[in-house]
Amino acid sequence: MKVDLGDRSKILILMLLVGTAGIIVPGCGDPVAPVEVEPTTPRKTAEQLAQEQEQRDKERLETRYKGLSKAVKTDPERFDDWISHLEDLIYASEGTSIQVKAKKLLEAQLQLREDEGQKSLDQMTARVEALVEEGDPLAAENILEGFDPDGMFEKTAAFKGWQALKKKVAMRQAAEVDFDRITRRARAYRRQEELAQAIGLLESFSDDYKGTEEYAEVVETIEQYLAEYVVAREAIAEQLAIEWIDLEVDQYLSSFRASAADSDATVWTAEGGEVVGNNDTSGLAQLEIGDDLWEEYSVEMEIQLVSGDQINLGITAGMRPGAGVKNYDVHGFESEEEEWLRIRIELKEGLIRLTDLDSLERLDDDMRPYFPAGGIAVLLRPDESVRLRNVRYKVFRPVPGEEPDPDGAEEESEG
């Protein structure tokens, strides 16, 4: 059969179309499987992708918020942890509804922290103020150190209140220490009738302590001392006008009356401007200063215990009824060997006062003498030794220049 060219072209086209459709063409080899073509998905825009990411972020933040909200209800005491997490969540959720809810939850946790901090501070304040009232600010300071050991309340008003309370207690402690130190020395000055020095010392109490009990007491004491000073200043002026008389230490000890039970023994000597007393005898020895007619006076000296148990002074002297020898009103006080003591011996207004001039502390209690008048004597028992230097005195009664009462003189004998 004869086929023309036009028909042959049509046949070829048909065969190609049928082959692509998977139709078996006789004589053309094995059959060809049909090709499956998936439908084409349209590509998402950048805007669509951003919206999807935003939704995922929102869902993640929502889950995080719900978790924190549940944790807050389950374990409310961990508010410090939840505050930190909520602050992070608020920062991450800026501009969203999650941020609004997280802020409300954060505000509640911050208020809870404030309340817990204030509660803790109130409990501590009650204990601290009780201890301060009892006069034990040191124990109060120790309790204050236990506030907020984990640092949870550092950003609260309670923390500032704790700092203020701590400062107040420290100030009270300092006020108490300074008060004890200053008033003790002021009382010592007052005992020495040196009210001006006492008042000046009290005036040095710091104004930083205003509001404390100690400050109020210092103010009251100053007023009391001022009133005493006004009354006593005329007498003080008279006493200050009396000059100190220095006793020269020469080789003969002519400014003193040296004696011993053994009249042949040499107990008292002079050495380099000092009086040396060394009692190697079996009896008593004495170095007298002043006059038996002294009624009110002050004697100052430096004295050193070289050997012995204590320093013994005879302050005033006289004849006891039925005795034919002079007796002393003896006062003793301890001293470290080889230590120089600067002391003042006073007989005023019927009282004997012994004072350490370096510390202004009393060496003995103030007391009334057995004898009403008389100077002083340094007394040595057997095997005792002392040294004296820088001895001076002033007499208030009888006033220098007055004629002594002849009936007041006692027959002097050594004993």
Side-chain angles (χ1 to χ4, degrees), residues 122-279:
D122 290 344
Q123 293 173 345
M124 180 169 285
T125 299
R127 295 171 60 197
V128 165
E129 289 182 346
L131 286 169
V132 170
E133 187 68 25
E134 293 169 6
D136 195 356
L138 183 59
E141 284 185 338
N142 292 334
I143 289 177
L144 282 167
E145 293 302 322
F147 179 76
D148 193 21
D150 300 323
M152 293 189 297
F153 305 128
E154 290 183 357
K155 297 181 180 179
T156 66
F159 186 80
K160 293 180 179 179
W162 169 75
Q163 289 179 315
L165 181 60
K166 189 175 180 181
K167 183 178 180 181
K168 177 182 177 182
V169 172
M171 183 70 72
R172 178 61 186 273
Q173 173 74 354
E176 184 175 302
V177 171
D178 281 0
F179 175 81
D180 290 342
R181 175 181 59 83
I182 287 175
T183 55
R184 183 172 62 252
R185 290 185 60 82
R187 286 193 297 270
Y189 278 127
R190 184 194 184 200
R191 287 194 296 267
Q192 299 305 311
E193 299 181 3
E194 296 176 353
L195 287 168
Q197 289 89 332
I199 293 168
L201 186 60
L202 291 168
E203 289 283 2
S204 70
F205 196 66
S206 176
D207 287 341
D208 293 339
Y209 302 139
K210 279 185 177 179
T212 66
E213 295 177 5
E214 288 79 7
Y215 190 88
E217 188 168 342
V218 166
V219 170
E220 182 179 344
T221 304
I222 290 173
E223 293 175 354
Q224 176 189 342
Y225 284 12
L226 280 171
E228 293 178 9
Y229 179 75
V230 169
V231 173
R233 63 184 178 181
E234 290 185 4
I236 292 173
E238 290 178 3
Q239 292 181 8
L240 291 175
I242 299 173
E243 296 184 356
W244 287 98
I245 298 175
D246 296 314
L247 293 182
E248 181 185 0
V249 178
D250 57 29
Q251 61 178 331
Y252 305 107
L253 297 179
S254 55
S255 297
F256 308 88
R257 296 197 303 278
S259 58
D262 183 352
S263 58
D264 295 328
T266 302
V267 175
W268 303 96
T269 57
E271 182 181 303
E274 297 177 2
V275 178
V276 179
N278 186 14
N279 190 7

Side-chain angles (χ1 to χ4, degrees), residues 267-268 277-279 283-286 378-382 384-386:
V267 175
W268 303 96
N278 186 14
N279 190 7
L284 296 176
Q286 54 273 336
V378 180
L379 306 175
L380 291 184
R381 296 187 177 97
E384 291 182 340
S385 300
V386 295

